[in-house]
Amino acid sequence: MSISSLTNIARSALIAQEAAIQVTGQNIANAQTPGYSRQTLALSASTPNYTPNGVLGSGVSITSITRSRDTLLDQQYRTQSGPASGFQERSALLGQIQNVYGEPSATGLANTMDSFFNSWSELASNPADPSAKAVVQQAGAQLASTFNSYATQLSNIATNNRTSLSDSIAQVNTITSQIAAMNTQITAATSTGASPNDLMDQRDQMIDQLSQMVAITVTGNKDGSDQVNIGGIAIVNGKAATPLSLGGGIPLTISTTNGDALRSPGGQIGAMLTVANVDLPAAQNGLNTLASSIITDVNAQHAAGWSPPAGTGVDFFDSAPANANAQNMRLSATVAADSSTIATGTTPNAAGDNSIALAIAGLQNFSPTAPGNSFSGAYTSLVNSVANAKNGSDSSSTVYQTLQQQADTQRQSVSGVDTDEELTSMISQQQAYVAAAKLVETIQAMSAALLSIAPTN
């Protein structure tokens, strides 16, 4: 063993411990950085020297700097992340639909329907009273206005949801293109033998974000790139990303630009698609069916009645096909112009005939055309269906959020930074560095001793 060999050993020790402290410092600095994975310096003994006196060590080498990451735990987190975000999104959208109904409410549709049919009961008690007819006219106009308002609000929710869906798909396309670009940088670095830990952390953070928006599976390639699939369809494959697009038809569809349809995209986007294609149409159709039934049944009775100014055959509500729905429901032009045209009975000039008023008031309890033959029952069923769907989404959201949090906790136990552990490691590394520095001092003293030996004659 020569002085130069000892110097090389000391030098390698100083370099190794300096790198170890730098890695530890990086971990401490990023202890609170989202998506950061704890890094570890791997050391190994350098190739020894074989001498006649035996095998002598040659110092220490830096093998690699790796990040602590478990792909299985990543996949478990992402598997729970999609449903957690999806059910949460659907609950929020169903809550908007539920807020349209706002039941129970003194100004809601249930109370407005009751007020309308109750006004006919009051009219039946005083069929010749002009003020009672005016109340019926006002109650009918208020009922139509409430249907109009509900239909408009549901239409606005549908429009906003579609806009959000389009924006989310654009965001997915941005993220997938960024992942593909990151794949390019990572493969370039790994091809040189480097370990681009920070780049891989950034890529994983993007994939985590993507997993909330759509249900994905991730496969690592040999060159260091990742492949990201949705339902078996690759949207990121190495350096290439395939954009998604929103179809313009009804029902809404999502497909890749290659023409592959994503039938169950999952995540937030899947929830918005379900609301657009299932929940909102059900709410709108239910409201339209109820409005159409009221228009049909009330008009059938009223047209059979007689009033002094208009005679018979007068519709109470506008019966034009374009207006026989919640969005366009309105009083007929005749009734809207003059409340005295409201019929109370069938006998001409019989002021006390209240048969029509009683028949229309009785529709409150039995409707020939409403689902279940009941206006209130049909509306209650409509409200309850939204409430039940929201409660189910709320429960599922809670379950999957809990599973997501548990998966994240497990993942953090592997990749997260424990500052106490890092401080302990730094103390050991500092002591090793000081010892290496002491070795340098010893070598210097040995060299000085050799130089001080006077040559013999």
Side-chain angles (χ1 to χ4, degrees):
M1 174 67 71
S2 64
I3 293 295
S4 63
S5 296
L6 285 173
T7 301
N8 288 335
I9 290 175
R11 179 175 177 275
S12 70
L14 288 170
I15 292 174
Q17 297 309 319
E18 181 181 355
I21 292 174
Q22 185 170 350
V23 171
T24 300
Q26 175 75 353
N27 288 338
I28 293 174
N30 289 281
Q32 300 300 320
T33 300
Y36 178 80
S37 301
R38 179 171 55 87
Q39 297 183 9
T40 303
L41 179 72
L43 302 175
S44 63
S46 299
T47 303
N49 297 315
Y50 294 88
T51 70
N53 297 322
V55 180
L56 298 177
S58 61
V60 62
S61 299
I62 297 174
T63 303
S64 65
I65 302 175
T66 58
R67 62 182 193 136
S68 300
R69 200 82 184 193
D70 189 318
T71 56
L72 179 60
L73 293 178
D74 279 336
Q75 188 58 51
Q76 288 179 350
Y77 170 82
R78 292 161 186 163
T79 297
Q80 311 304 333
S81 183
S85 299
F87 282 114
Q88 187 175 25
E89 180 69 22
R90 189 178 180 211
S91 291
L93 291 170
L94 289 171
Q96 293 180 29
I97 298 174
Q98 197 173 44
N99 289 339
V100 171
Y101 302 137
E103 301 292 352
S105 169
T107 58
L109 184 56
N111 188 70
T112 305
M113 285 192 296
D114 287 343
S115 296
F116 173 67
F117 289 111
N118 288 340
S119 71
W120 282 100
S121 294
E122 293 296 326
L123 180 58
S125 300
N126 300 282
D129 185 359
S131 64
K133 288 189 175 184
V135 171
V136 169
Q137 181 195 48
Q138 293 169 4
Q142 182 59 47
L143 179 61
S145 176
T146 302
F147 270 108
N148 299 161
S149 174
Y150 282 19
T152 298
Q153 291 179 65
L154 291 177
S155 180
N156 290 340
I157 293 172
T159 300
N160 293 337
N161 180 54
R162 180 164 183 160
T163 300
S164 297
L165 184 56
S166 180
D167 291 343
S168 295
I169 290 173
Q171 187 178 358
V172 166
N173 291 338
T174 298
I175 294 173
T176 53
S177 65
Q178 291 174 341
I179 293 172
M182 199 68 66
N183 276 341
T184 301
Q185 298 179 55
I186 291 171
T187 54
T190 53
S191 65
T192 64
S195 181
N197 297 321
D198 292 335
L199 289 177
M200 289 190 286
D201 280 346
Q202 293 176 32
R203 182 180 63 185
D204 280 330
Q205 199 167 11
M206 292 177 188
I207 293 174
D208 285 350
Q209 183 181 357
L210 186 64
S211 71
Q212 297 178 11
M213 305 184 73
V214 287
I216 61 173
T217 56
V218 182
T219 305
N221 298 323
K222 291 182 179 180
D223 61 0
S225 65
D226 277 348
Q227 178 173 319
V228 183
N229 292 352
I230 302 177
I233 299 173
I235 57 171
V236 178
N237 190 1
K239 303 174 184 179
T242 303
L244 304 180
S245 63
L246 179 64
I250 299 295
L252 295 179
T253 58
I254 299 174
S255 60
T256 68
T257 52
N258 296 332
D260 297 318
L262 302 181
R263 303 188 184 282
S264 299
Q268 293 174 338
I269 287 180
M272 287 187 280
L273 197 64
T274 298
V275 170
N277 291 335
V278 178
D279 298 317
L280 274 167
Q284 291 170 317
N285 291 339
L287 200 64
N288 284 331
T289 297
L290 180 58
S292 178
S293 296
I294 292 176
I295 292 170
T296 299
D297 291 350
V298 171
N299 282 350
Q301 294 294 337
H302 193 268
W306 181 90
S307 64
T312 61
V314 176
D315 286 333
F316 185 85
F317 291 108
D318 191 335
S319 60
N323 298 329
N325 55 52
Q327 183 71 61
N328 300 319
M329 184 179 182
R330 66 192 67 183
L331 296 178
S332 67
T334 301
V335 171
D338 185 359
S339 62
S340 68
T341 60
I342 295 175
T344 59
T346 60
T347 306
N349 299 316
D353 188 355
N354 65 355
S355 58
I356 293 298
L358 287 174
I360 294 178
L363 292 174
Q364 184 175 19
N365 300 318
F366 180 83
S367 160
T369 64
N373 299 123
S374 170
F375 296 132
S376 61
Y379 181 59
T380 299
S381 177
L382 183 61
V383 172
N384 287 342
S385 66
V386 176
N388 291 336
K390 185 180 186 306
N391 290 338
S393 288
D394 287 343
S395 298
S396 296
S397 176
T398 300
V399 170
Y400 279 103
Q401 283 181 11
T402 300
L403 293 174
Q404 181 190 29
Q405 291 169 0
Q406 291 174 347
D408 191 45
T409 299
Q410 289 180 315
R411 189 168 67 161
Q412 287 300 317
S413 69
V414 173
S415 61
V417 176
D418 185 324
T419 52
D420 290 337
E421 291 182 3
E422 297 300 322
L423 288 173
T424 300
S425 297
M426 187 169 62
I427 292 172
S428 299
Q429 293 155 359
Q430 180 187 20
Q431 292 174 341
Y433 188 89
V434 170
K438 188 67 176 177
L439 176 58
V440 173
E441 293 178 4
T442 301
I443 294 171
Q444 289 175 338
M446 291 172 63
S447 299
L450 289 174
L451 293 174
S452 67
I453 297 175
T456 57
N457 295 325

